[in-house]
Amino acid sequence: AIQANLVQLRTLLLRYGLVSAAVLLLALAVSSVMVSRLQRRITEPVTSLVRLMETVSRDKDYARRADGRGPAEYVSLAGSFNEMLTDIQSRDRELERSLLELKTAYGKLEDLDQLKSDFISTVSHELRTPITSIKAFVELILLKPDMHSDRKSRLLNIVNKETDRLSRLISDLLDLSRIESGAMHWRDVDLDLAEVVKAVVVNISPLVKERGI
């Protein structure tokens, strides 16, 4: 029979086991630290970019930019995102400028349309006066063929003036194309009210006398 003392062998195996466990734990600790650092270096920039995307989407603030520091892949991704923000910001400015130009053009169009409406309303009203006077005086002359020549001459003179006035009004009305092109503008001028009243009295006095008013 062979007998051997295994105490030393067991002690040695236990020592080897403890050393192996210590080495394994140390390796796990070192790898955990390395993985943590590596993960932080990679995931933190990506997480930051995701938060920036959410902020831009929520606030519509396209002036913000992503940090271009980190791994090469992240730098490339951040650069592409920044280029996209720049394009959106540029398009927004162009859209705002186009909207402003459109608003200005619409305002001018409204002013032009109002000017045209005022012009047509004024000229249409003014056209009735000479037409009424011409018709009335011509009817008066036709109804009284034996009218005194001086009076007939005065009436015909008024008819002639009213015809000229009517011609000017029609000419103004034909200038409507100038209004539509924005080339016509109102002009305020001083006038002698006494002269206006005098002209009206001269024009209507024959009718007033004829009708006994």
Side-chain angles (χ1 to χ4, degrees):
I2 299 175
Q3 294 183 348
N5 189 355
L6 299 179
V7 174
Q8 291 183 351
L9 180 61
R10 289 173 181 163
T11 302
L12 185 62
L13 289 176
L14 179 60
R15 186 182 303 167
Y16 284 161
L18 291 176
V19 171
S20 298
V23 171
L24 180 60
L25 291 174
L26 181 62
L28 288 174
V30 171
S31 62
S32 177
V33 171
M34 293 179 62
V35 168
S36 176
R37 290 183 178 180
L38 183 61
Q39 183 180 15
R40 188 163 55 247
R41 186 185 174 204
I42 295 176
T43 60
E44 283 187 356
V46 175
T47 303
S48 175
L49 181 61
V50 171
R51 285 197 297 266
L52 177 61
M53 290 179 178
E54 293 174 348
T55 302
V56 170
S57 177
R58 182 183 67 250
D59 301 337
K60 308 300 180 185
D61 182 10
Y62 302 112
R64 306 189 66 169
R65 294 293 183 270
D67 187 5
R69 292 175 297 179
E73 294 80 1
Y74 171 77
V75 172
S76 177
L77 180 61
S80 299
F81 182 69
N82 289 338
E83 288 179 5
M84 182 187 69
L85 291 178
T86 301
D87 291 341
I88 294 175
Q89 194 175 19
S90 176
R91 292 176 184 177
D92 275 358
R93 285 195 294 264
E94 185 66 27
L95 180 60
E96 289 178 0
R97 183 163 54 250
S98 299
L99 289 175
L100 180 61
E101 292 175 355
L102 183 60
K103 184 178 180 180
T104 302
Y106 182 73
K108 290 181 179 179
L109 184 61
E110 283 188 326
D111 294 340
L112 184 60
D113 188 64
Q114 184 62 45
L115 178 64
K116 183 174 67 174
S117 299
D118 293 343
F119 178 79
I120 292 175
S121 176
T122 301
V123 174
S124 298
H125 175 75
E126 292 296 324
L127 283 173
R128 296 189 184 98
T129 304
I131 291 175
T132 302
S133 299
I134 292 172
K135 186 176 185 300
F137 291 139
V138 169
E139 287 178 350
L140 186 59
I141 294 173
L142 292 175
L143 288 173
K144 294 189 175 183
D146 56 346
M147 183 183 297
H148 192 275
S149 60
D150 290 342
R151 187 180 181 191
K152 183 183 292 186
S153 177
R154 287 198 304 272
L155 294 179
L156 290 175
N157 188 42
I158 294 174
V159 170
N160 185 55
K161 289 181 179 179
E162 291 298 308
T163 303
D164 290 340
R165 180 183 175 191
L166 181 61
S167 177
R168 288 195 302 272
L169 290 172
I170 293 175
S171 178
D172 290 341
L173 189 59
L174 292 176
D175 278 339
L176 188 61
S177 59
R178 292 174 59 194
I179 294 181
E180 293 177 341
S181 64
M184 179 175 285
H185 305 280
W186 292 116
R187 184 177 67 253
D188 295 330
V189 296
D190 294 331
L191 55 85
D192 188 347
L193 187 58
E195 291 294 330
V196 176
V197 175
K198 181 179 178 181
V200 172
V201 171
V202 169
N203 288 342
I204 67 173
S205 58
L207 293 177
V208 172
K209 291 179 181 178
E210 181 66 25
R211 298 179 183 180
I213 302 175

